[in-house]
Amino acid sequence: MKKLIIMFALCLVSMTNSFAQEKHYGVRLGYNGTHLQDNGDKVGSAENNYFISMYKDSKIMPFLFLNSGLEYTKYGGDVLNQSYELHYVGIPLGLKVKFGPLFVVGGAAFNVKVSEKNNPYSSSSKWYDTNAFAQAGLEILFLTIDAKYTWGLTDVQNNITNNGLQVGVGVRF
């Protein structure tokens, strides 16, 4: 499934880069409330984290865009009385549908672990993480306000997946 998502994403990027006429760039940052899950059950308690991302929207059709970018995200939770932190740099890729000032984005991301702190387990987590996401927001002039939920698809440590809710603001160029 992951290989299929990556192959689809690469094909979509190559197609839209050759046909896309209009591109918009932006920066988002904000709150990332994260928690770890083991087969759908929450592990430990949720933690308040943050994210920052740069993105590009490439127009495919008048209301449809390819949304891609680069994102730094901090995931984690309080596990066994320790603040377990996982820091990632990722490449989100999704389709964005715009209805006037409103938009929705759905897609997936491939994340590479850049650091891990306070690991309560005997082994290190995987060097990568993949997740699916759904996002909704509002564009007002050059500003954006949005919410994005991410579902972990990768078992990063002892059947644990990363999940989070982002609430962000951004500037669009």
Side-chain angles (χ1 to χ4, degrees), residues 70-134:
L70 186 64
E71 182 171 86
Y72 170 80
T73 310
K74 180 182 168 193
Y75 282 98
D78 188 24
V79 179
L80 303 173
N81 296 320
Q82 292 186 44
S83 178
Y84 183 32
E85 298 177 9
L86 294 157
H87 300 256
Y88 293 98
V89 172
I91 301 172
L93 187 61
L95 287 176
K96 178 178 186 176
V97 180
K98 245 185 114 184
F99 307 100
L102 302 175
F103 66 88
V104 293
V105 184
F110 179 77
N111 305 304
V112 175
K113 181 178 71 172
V114 292
S115 88
E116 177 176 23
K117 295 180 183 170
N118 302 323
N119 185 349
Y121 302 104
S122 59
S123 63
S124 179
S125 66
K126 288 186 180 171
W127 63 272
Y128 70 95
D129 183 27
T130 54
N131 59 44
F133 65 86

Side-chain angles (χ1 to χ4, degrees), residues 3-75:
K3 290 180 183 178
L4 182 62
I5 290 172
I6 291 170
M7 288 176 44
F8 175 73
L10 290 174
C11 289
L12 193 58
V13 167
S14 65
M15 283 179 14
T16 56
N17 280 339
S18 61
F19 295 113
Q21 300 167 357
E22 185 179 330
K23 294 180 174 61
H24 297 281
Y25 298 89
V27 177
R28 301 175 53 238
L29 57 98
Y31 169 79
N32 190 24
T34 65
H35 63 279
L36 305 171
Q37 284 189 327
D38 181 357
N39 295 319
D41 296 325
K42 196 173 180 183
V43 176
S45 60
E47 197 163 276
N48 298 321
N49 290 308
Y50 57 89
F51 74 93
I52 184 167
S53 68
M54 299 176 296
Y55 67 89
K56 175 176 77 170
D57 290 335
S58 301
K59 190 175 195 176
I60 300 170
M61 295 178 359
F63 61 90
L64 186 64
F65 297 80
L66 174 67
N67 178 268
S68 60
L70 186 64
E71 182 171 86
Y72 170 80
T73 310
K74 180 182 168 193
Y75 282 98

